[in-house]
Amino acid sequence: MTIQQTRPTGPGIDEPTRLALYRQMVRMRGMEKRAYDLFLQNLVKGTSHLSLGQEAIAAGFGVAMRDDDYTFATYRGHAHTLARGVPMAGILAELMGRANGLMAGKGGSMHLTSVEHGMMGSYAIIGAHLPIATGAAWSAHYRGSGQVAVCFFGDGTTNIGAFHEALNLAAVWKLPVVFVCENNLYMEYTPIGAVTAVPNPAADRAAAYGLPSITIDGNDPDVVYETAVAALSRARSGEGPSLIEAKTYRHGGHSRADPAKYRPAGEVQEWLARDPLPAYRQRLLGLGVAEAALSGIEAESARLVDEATEQAKAGPQPGEDLVMKDVWADGGASWRN
């Protein structure tokens, strides 16, 4: 069975929910644009992987999820972290390697984690987090907690063994986990279509595990939200996992080190015209949402980004005392000596 959604099909989404979706996307866009500026100022060391253009997926699931649900993300996880209610200042400080960052500057851009917010990690190894998300779902199932693990990954992950192993086990045990493929058409520099035998690398493989093939417009926050609500409900009711392929596009290269010259100009322009933020803004206006309400969200977001930036910059550099912290089980290394 194939399920493909391109426009909202449910009973309707109320205005507060739609404003929450817009608020999330605006904050995500503002924070990552600021992260880009900080990188150019040499305040973000190394590289960073931005999700500019892909915000609708993180926002749709972030609004739909319960506070105690679990999120597992890739190294492109800034937006997913913010979606779980993690303070923006802590995220930006971590990108800058400051002591007031989420992990005191030890994780950086690619490893954002906040267990207290249900953000169970950003993983730099492709596909490594899928079995971990499956394990978290098994824990929730065993405890009868009603929690759901939501695992986000890129299209390239569908050709990794861990993708198939995690999906198979989750289906066999009917675990409460939702696998979300953020298909932005490219792995690192290679088009996913050039190395994959099926057009939809995630959805076309769902049938092998007894799951429906779900392909959605990942740039439409309403569609993402409604799909998320349905998948989360299915998982919580004991019906097992879902595999969702959300079609989207990153505005920039794979990372800040990638100018993305390999992408056809026409393709880039076509997808930029489908930018989820201005498109959703126009939809809200068409639905009768007041311009003042949207402008207020945008102004508030700009203020929050500025405040978070200053708080992050004010953080100290980590001290040498943190070098061995969290390396061993007891939080130190003295016992090994």
Side-chain angles (χ1 to χ4, degrees):
M1 177 174 59
T2 299
I3 300 173
Q4 186 168 7
Q5 289 189 11
T6 56
R7 291 300 304 270
T9 59
I13 303 174
D14 60 28
E15 184 172 309
T17 300
R18 283 198 162 105
L19 288 176
L21 290 168
Y22 187 65
R23 184 178 298 108
Q24 285 271 28
M25 290 197 299
V26 170
R27 290 184 182 181
M28 292 167 184
R29 178 67 58 90
M31 181 185 72
E32 286 213 307
K33 279 188 171 181
R34 182 56 51 85
Y36 174 77
D37 294 340
L38 294 170
F39 177 84
L40 293 180
Q41 297 170 36
N42 200 32
L43 291 173
V44 174
K45 306 300 181 181
T47 190
S48 59
H49 302 76
L50 305 180
S51 59
L52 297 173
Q54 301 184 189
E55 296 92 347
I57 301 172
F61 271 89
V63 173
M65 290 170 71
R66 233 167 60 176
D67 287 347
D68 62 343
D69 286 337
Y70 301 124
T71 289
F72 294 83
T74 68
Y75 45 76
R76 202 181 304 279
H78 307 161
H80 293 296
T81 304
L82 190 65
R84 297 313 309 274
V86 178
M88 194 183 297
I91 297 173
L92 291 176
E94 187 62 33
L95 266 62
M96 290 191 283
R98 302 301 176 92
N100 57 334
L102 287 181
M103 291 92 76
K106 295 184 73 172
S109 171
M110 299 175 72
H111 300 285
L112 297 175
T113 304
S114 181
V115 173
E116 65 179 300
H117 294 93
M119 179 60 193
M120 307 305 288
S122 304
Y123 295 76
I125 298 175
I126 307 299
H129 57 309
L130 275 75
I132 302 173
T134 301
W138 181 87
S139 168
H141 172 72
Y142 180 80
R143 290 180 288 110
S145 66
Q147 295 165 287
V148 178
V150 182
C151 184
F152 301 92
F153 54 93
D155 42 274
T157 301
T158 61
N159 289 332
I160 297 291
F163 166 78
H164 301 278
E165 293 170 9
L167 202 62
N168 181 67
L169 193 61
V172 169
W173 287 353
K174 298 186 73 172
L175 297 178
V177 55
V178 179
F179 297 102
V180 184
C181 175
E182 299 177 288
N183 184 355
N184 59 27
L185 310 188
Y186 290 86
M187 296 185 295
E188 189 168 5
Y189 314 119
T190 305
I192 184 66
V195 295
T196 308
V198 291
N200 302 302
D204 288 348
R205 288 157 162 165
Y209 305 103
L211 299 175
S213 176
I214 305 174
T215 306
I216 65 172
D217 181 356
N219 278 17
D220 188 323
D222 286 345
V223 167
V224 175
Y225 171 77
E226 290 192 327
T227 305
V229 168
L232 292 165
S233 176
R234 168 187 167 89
R236 269 189 247 284
S237 63
E239 297 179 55
S242 295
L243 175 60
I244 298 163
E245 181 169 339
K247 298 295 182 69
T248 186
Y249 202 77
R250 49 176 161 85
H251 285 180
H254 173 72
S255 71
R256 290 311 321 139
D258 172 23
K261 297 297 186 182
Y262 47 83
R263 301 189 302 182
E267 175 189 279
V268 174
Q269 292 305 314
E270 177 185 349
W271 278 95
L272 288 177
R274 296 176 57 192
D275 187 331
L277 266 78
Y280 199 56
R281 193 182 201 280
Q282 286 303 115
R283 178 181 295 173
L284 293 180
L285 290 173
L287 290 170
V289 176
E291 170 82 34
L294 302 181
S295 297
I297 287 174
E298 293 152 7
E300 178 193 33
S301 174
R303 177 183 60 80
L304 289 173
V305 170
D306 287 342
E307 290 178 356
T309 302
E310 294 310 309
Q311 291 175 31
K313 285 182 176 180
Q317 298 289 342
E320 292 183 4
D321 59 309
L322 289 175
V323 171
M324 302 304 292
K325 187 176 184 297
D326 302 319
V327 175
W328 314 112
D330 67 345
S334 59
W335 65 277
R336 295 185 67 86
N337 297 324

